[in-house]
Amino acid sequence: MLLIRCPYCEMERPETEFRYGGEAHLVRPLHPAAASDEEWSAFLYLRVNDKGLHAERWRHASGCGRYFNCLRDTITDKISVTYKSGEAPPSL
Amino acid sequence: MPEAVRRSILDGLAMPRNSAAMVAPCPPATRFILRGGREVAASVGPAFGAAPPLEPLRSQTVGARSALWMGPDEWLLIAEDSELALGAALEAALASVPHGLIDVSHRQGALEVSGPGAARLLNAGVMLDLDISAFPVGMVARTLLTKAEIVLWRRAPDLFRVEFSRSFGPYVVAILAQAASDQDLC
Ligand SMILES: [Zn+2]
């Protein structure tokens, strides 16, 4: 069982309260109708799929309900930091 | 005119208890989910009687009215008295600020778990540290009791209120009944 710190609840909570939300910091094209097929498919489908440190979204689903972001190592599964939505990823 | 009868989802269920803890159904209460920014919390406080806290996982109780932090833009308001016009009064107080106010009185039920073994009994299904230093009086958290989403609220050192979605009532009671009997064996 992982303990994940929710930046809104400001405490560590059990993994089972959370849902994974995919890669973080993806920006939706401001005018989707004006985006090219390549731009739109990149937004929808292309992910960095990093081996190592990965910025990703999680949701404290059975807690405060909020989405937030975290940096997790995809090799070790260690979450080094969590931060609120809208904040820049902390430099490690 | 036919009489409307209010039936609790817990009617007819034996309430769990053991040598250190007991479970009892809470009387019906009026409940609202309030959504919005911090200006919503400031506006609703005087009308409701208890100010929604901005500090995470805290509650504010004044008399029969309690405001419980659920998230940074969400509060559960519980009125343990019965004032039918409460919803209208809250809407009036909130008229000038963007907000959501939903009456969830009948969506949820509640149990009280009390006694020196109350925290231990709840910890059979709740994964939070319920030591008084980690989860003090007045602290509240939406969390899980095994598979059921609950709101766990400590009202006194040996007294918790558990809010659950109505249809989960029998499940919550069954989990606590099993734990109560298991814990009396060891
Ligand atoms: Zn949270």
Side-chain angles (χ1 to χ4, degrees):
Chain A
M1 167 87 62
L2 293 176
L3 290 174
I4 301 174
R5 180 180 169 80
C6 172
Y8 294 98
C9 292
E10 298 176 2
M11 74 180 288
E12 288 188 338
R13 301 286 285 263
E15 175 187 1
T16 48
E17 292 183 1
F18 296 85
R19 302 287 180 278
Y20 182 64
E23 186 182 327
H25 305 297
L26 296 172
V27 180
R28 189 176 195 268
L30 205 53
H31 303 290
S36 67
D37 288 351
E38 287 71 27
E39 286 167 337
W40 189 242
S41 61
F43 167 71
L44 288 181
Y45 303 115
L46 296 187
R47 298 295 179 258
V48 297
N49 200 25
D50 274 338
K51 182 178 181 183
L53 209 57
H54 188 236
E56 54 196 22
R57 305 170 79 211
W58 284 73
R59 179 169 180 254
H60 195 188
S62 297
C64 66
R66 276 299 183 107
Y67 274 100
F68 60 91
N69 295 325
C70 82
L71 297 180
R72 183 178 65 93
D73 192 307
T74 57
I75 302 169
T76 62
D77 206 22
K78 181 180 168 60
I79 292 174
S80 39
V81 65
T82 59
Y83 51 101
K84 291 178 180 177
S85 296
E87 292 178 357
S91 51
L92 292 179
Chain B
M1 209 171 103
E3 286 237 330
V5 179
R6 192 197 276 263
R7 287 208 175 81
S8 163
I9 188 73
L10 305 177
D11 278 357
L13 293 177
M15 287 296 118
R17 64 182 304 159
N18 63 18
S19 55
M22 62 177 293
V23 177
C26 294
T30 303
R31 303 172 176 89
F32 294 91
I33 287 287
L34 173 67
R35 302 291 306 262
R38 54 178 55 216
E39 66 279 8
V40 160
S43 301
V44 88
F48 181 61
L54 299 178
E55 191 186 345
L57 308 174
R58 298 297 143 167
S59 64
Q60 175 78 45
T61 297
V62 177
R65 304 287 169 86
S66 299
L68 284 59
W69 189 95
M70 295 286 101
D73 61 353
E74 180 181 356
W75 295 269
L76 173 61
L77 308 179
I78 301 178
E80 293 172 278
D81 48 13
S82 55
E83 186 194 317
L84 291 175
L86 180 58
L90 299 182
E91 282 292 3
L94 290 162
S96 63
V97 285
H99 69 278
L101 184 73
I102 309 294
D103 188 329
V104 295
S105 304
H106 298 258
R107 182 184 78 177
Q108 285 165 217
L111 290 167
E112 256 179 9
V113 183
S114 60
R120 182 172 179 234
L121 179 61
L122 287 162
N123 268 147
V126 171
M127 284 164 281
L128 306 182
D129 182 354
L130 297 182
D131 187 87
I132 193 78
S133 62
F135 202 98
V137 172
M139 189 161 169
V140 61
R142 188 158 46 199
T143 184
L144 294 169
L145 181 117
T146 55
K147 298 284 185 183
E149 199 170 286
I150 60 163
V151 172
L152 183 64
W153 180 27
R154 187 173 224 150
R155 306 201 68 177
D158 288 342
L159 177 65
F160 294 85
R161 183 179 174 109
V162 176
E163 292 265 334
F164 50 83
S165 294
R166 189 184 150 81
S167 61
F168 277 86
Y171 173 86
V172 168
V173 169
I175 293 288
L176 294 176
Q178 183 66 53
S181 80
D182 288 352
Q183 291 181 359
D184 251 6
L185 298 176
C186 51

